[in-house]
Amino acid sequence: MKKFSILIAGGGSTFTPGIVLMLLDNLDKFPLRKLKLYDIDKERQDTIAGACEVILREKAPEIEFLATTDPEEAFTDVDFVMAHIRVGKYAMRELDEKIPLKYGVVGQETCGPGGIAYGMRSIGGVLELIDYMEKYSPDAWMLNYSNPAAIVAEATRRLRPHSKILNICDMPVAIEERMARILGLKSRKEMTVRYYGLNHFGWWTDIRDKEGNDLMPKLKEHVAKYGYVVNDGGDNQHVDASWQDTFLKARDVYALDPDTLPNTYLKYYFFPDEVVAHSNPDYTRANEVMDGREKFVFTECKKIIENQSTEGSALHIDEHASYIVDLARAIAYNTHERMLLIVENKGAISNFDPTAMVEIPCIVGSNGPEPLSIGEIPQFQKGLMEQQVSVEKLVVEAWITKSYQKLWQAITLSKTVPSAKVAKQILDDLIEANKGYWPELH
Ligand code: NAD
Ligand code: G6P
Ligand code: MN
């Protein structure tokens, strides 16, 4: 079996240790010869890297390990780049969430004005990674899950149309794991799903077992009562109380269209007033994550470094991230795995913009993804998606042309924003907060 060289871009991410442990747990399926971390924040990455070095020394000393902030060193001799950068880190996420809330508007990482602001920061960062990859390892593939994936995907479609980048999200994976639990199945892989939408904006239309039995009725019965709340299990990423609220809220989101099962993120578009009413403008999800996951991961990594041992470490394998290995294997071994990816529509949804980046099932092989045909979608979803995809396209247009006007239009068009006046107030605050991260708008 060929052994692969992986680069994790955004090496200082809170998700890096869980993903490294997951990769080591999957070496029989996906063998590695080299594992590298790359970040622009040396100090942050050094803590994560110091722990990863100990983990690798214990579990797989044969794998060459390196952490660097030098692009040439990082991107040379790489087969896959796993990209999970957060341009501006949690400090900027906090502002993305708090600025809209000041005006009574949803404050969220990837939805509404917060997601738009994050998009304006991410585009340049991800393009830079692509350019490094193409310069130093032109045959490599980038598996990108840096957010906001919808905007990043549209930007790369426009600006790097021939690049080998695959955009993927873990929310459908996490929800499908819950569905499997509801159905009493061992794994989501026992289900075959039909799904369509935009990233963080989609619906399941059909879910069957391998014999072809329809599993939707049983799932609908559960979701109508409990949303995606399950008693046992779920992944270990979406565990905080606020995530439980979101899984429960899927019950009300489902009520709007009982023909389908919804992505949890639709709550921000259907119930923005309730979301705002339940938000604390002084303590948002960014604060929860900084006080929770970030503190936990960095404390555990420091302990490992100090002890030069993982004994007693509470760091755990991020099992649900194994979808990334499935994707890499699909490319590496031509497995033709069926996966949800964010790809250009090109007629897959026949009554929708062919240039939209949509999230739909694809068959993935060595030559990339082959999207499945969806056909026509109903008026309700089509209307919602046309509005949202226009927001995403306008953001990318604003970034390319450095246009204040386009960005004001994008924020105004977001279903989470009540008026052009409020959109302008939020935009002006966001511009101030994002100095140095956004192109200068005129
Ligand atoms: P984090 O802040 O802990 O880590 C991000 C790292 O990226 C930081 O160490 C930062 O220094 C680094 N970084 C920032 N700009 C960079 C650049 N230009 N080049 C290289 N490195 C850069 O964030 P996190 O919470 O661990 O999340 C990481 C990313 O993964 C985010 O984009 C998040 O939204 C995304 N994510 C996506 C999914 C999905 O479903 N697609 C799931 C989970 C997380
Ligand atoms: C889900 C989404 C990701 C998002 C994450 C936020 O996994 O699919 O795109 O980044 O949730 O989680 P957090 O714990 O950082 O709020
Ligand atoms: Mn996602």
Side-chain angles (χ1 to χ4, degrees):
M1 239 169 161
K2 185 187 165 191
K3 294 188 174 184
F4 298 95
S5 169
I6 302 278
L7 172 66
I8 298 181
S13 158
T14 55
F15 295 115
T16 298
I19 287 178
V20 167
L21 286 167
M22 182 278 294
L23 288 171
L24 297 183
D25 200 45
N26 280 279
L27 287 176
D28 54 334
K29 285 189 236 139
F30 190 63
L32 303 184
R33 62 185 167 87
K34 209 184 253 194
L35 180 62
K36 294 195 271 186
L37 306 187
Y38 167 74
D39 207 290
I40 52 171
D41 182 338
K42 182 176 185 315
E43 199 189 326
R44 185 178 176 88
Q45 174 166 268
D46 278 350
T47 305
I48 303 286
C52 288
E53 202 177 321
V54 176
I55 293 172
L56 261 97
R57 193 196 303 146
E58 287 181 5
K59 291 186 195 288
E62 70 283 3
I63 299 172
E64 194 183 321
F65 178 74
L66 175 81
T68 178
T69 53
D70 174 46
E72 181 171 357
E73 202 175 21
F75 286 82
T76 300
D77 183 28
V78 161
D79 300 306
F80 291 97
V81 177
M82 296 178 177
H84 58 200
I85 61 170
R86 183 186 291 286
V87 179
K89 295 179 279 188
Y90 292 126
M92 290 309 295
R93 175 176 179 175
E94 185 179 6
L95 294 174
D96 291 346
E97 293 168 349
K98 290 187 176 172
I99 289 170
L101 277 173
K102 242 173 69 187
Y103 299 96
V105 170
V106 169
Q108 216 281 323
E109 180 195 24
T110 64
C111 302
I116 291 170
Y118 187 12
M120 290 289 287
R121 294 196 302 277
S122 285
I123 294 172
V126 173
L127 292 181
E128 188 177 75
L129 299 181
I130 293 179
D131 293 345
Y132 289 145
M133 177 177 88
E134 294 186 340
K135 180 166 178 196
Y136 297 116
S137 283
D139 295 328
W141 283 83
M142 181 175 295
L143 315 180
N144 178 61
Y145 39 102
S146 310
N147 268 319
I151 291 170
V152 167
E154 168 64 9
T156 55
R157 183 192 73 83
R158 288 276 311 264
L159 299 167
R160 298 291 184 278
H162 305 296
S163 295
K164 292 201 276 186
I165 175 170
L166 297 171
N167 293 291
I168 190 159
C169 169
D170 73 344
M171 200 70 245
V173 170
I175 295 172
E176 285 173 20
E177 268 165 12
R178 284 167 178 268
M179 290 173 171
R181 212 59 57 101
I182 292 164
L183 295 164
L185 303 175
K186 273 205 269 336
S187 147
R188 68 184 171 87
K189 293 191 178 173
E190 291 176 36
M191 313 186 308
T192 302
V193 310
R194 292 192 180 171
Y195 178 98
Y196 71 84
L198 311 170
N199 179 234
H200 290 184
F201 205 96
W203 295 264
W204 283 268
T205 57
D206 192 82
I207 302 178
R208 291 181 190 258
D209 65 18
K210 294 298 173 202
E211 283 75 50
N213 298 304
D214 186 0
L215 304 174
M216 289 288 271
K218 191 168 172 199
L219 287 170
K220 286 179 178 179
E221 211 178 285
H222 181 100
V223 176
K225 285 197 209 125
Y226 314 111
Y228 295 118
V229 172
V230 290
N231 285 331
D232 57 327
D235 61 277
N236 48 29
Q237 186 194 326
H238 306 97
V239 286
D240 290 343
S242 52
W243 270 110
Q244 297 319 305
D245 292 348
T246 294
F247 289 124
L248 182 61
K249 193 65 187 167
R251 177 178 64 188
D252 299 342
V253 177
Y254 164 71
L256 256 115
D257 180 24
D259 290 338
T260 60
L261 287 167
N263 192 302
T264 43
Y265 275 93
L266 288 163
K267 81 164 187 180
Y268 298 106
Y269 302 94
F270 294 171
F271 301 101
D273 48 352
E274 285 182 32
V275 167
V276 171
H278 291 136
S279 301
N280 178 351
D282 301 318
Y283 194 83
T284 58
R285 179 67 190 153
N287 300 109
E288 272 181 26
V289 173
M290 287 186 274
D291 293 342
R293 184 173 68 236
E294 187 184 41
K295 198 165 273 171
F296 167 76
V297 168
F298 280 82
T299 307
E300 288 302 313
C301 285
K302 282 175 192 154
K303 271 196 236 160
I304 293 177
I305 295 171
E306 207 178 284
N307 301 337
Q308 284 298 300
S309 159
T310 63
E311 212 184 292
S313 167
L315 288 180
H316 35 65
I317 301 178
D318 190 353
E319 187 46 52
H320 101 295
S322 62
Y323 70 92
I324 303 164
V325 166
D326 294 336
L327 182 55
R329 289 185 80 244
I331 300 282
Y333 303 128
N334 203 28
T335 62
H336 292 126
E337 175 118 352
R338 181 172 167 150
M339 308 184 77
L340 299 182
L341 292 177
I342 305 159
V343 293
E344 190 166 358
N345 183 29
K346 289 184 175 162
I349 302 173
S350 56
N351 56 344
F352 195 60
D353 183 343
T355 71
M357 292 303 282
V358 293
E359 194 165 294
I360 53 175
C362 299
I363 304 295
V364 190
S366 298
N367 55 351
E370 205 175 330
L372 297 179
S373 159
I374 303 293
E376 281 193 13
I377 58 173
Q379 196 69 53
F380 178 58
Q381 278 82 5
K382 184 169 176 274
L384 289 162
M385 283 166 61
E386 275 168 352
Q387 180 177 23
Q388 179 59 21
V389 86
S390 301
V391 171
E392 291 158 6
K393 283 181 176 292
L394 281 165
V395 173
V396 173
E397 190 63 33
W399 189 89
I400 295 171
T401 60
K402 303 185 170 50
S403 165
Y404 180 97
Q405 198 75 33
K406 297 278 183 208
L407 203 56
W408 183 22
Q409 290 175 354
I411 298 176
T412 302
L413 194 56
S414 172
K415 198 168 157 39
T416 61
V417 175
S419 81
K421 177 181 149 192
V422 173
K424 196 170 201 308
Q425 290 170 323
I426 295 175
L427 173 57
D428 290 340
D429 279 16
L430 287 173
I431 289 175
E432 202 47 43
N434 281 278
K435 281 216 169 99
Y437 288 111
W438 288 8
E440 214 168 305
L441 305 179
H442 44 71

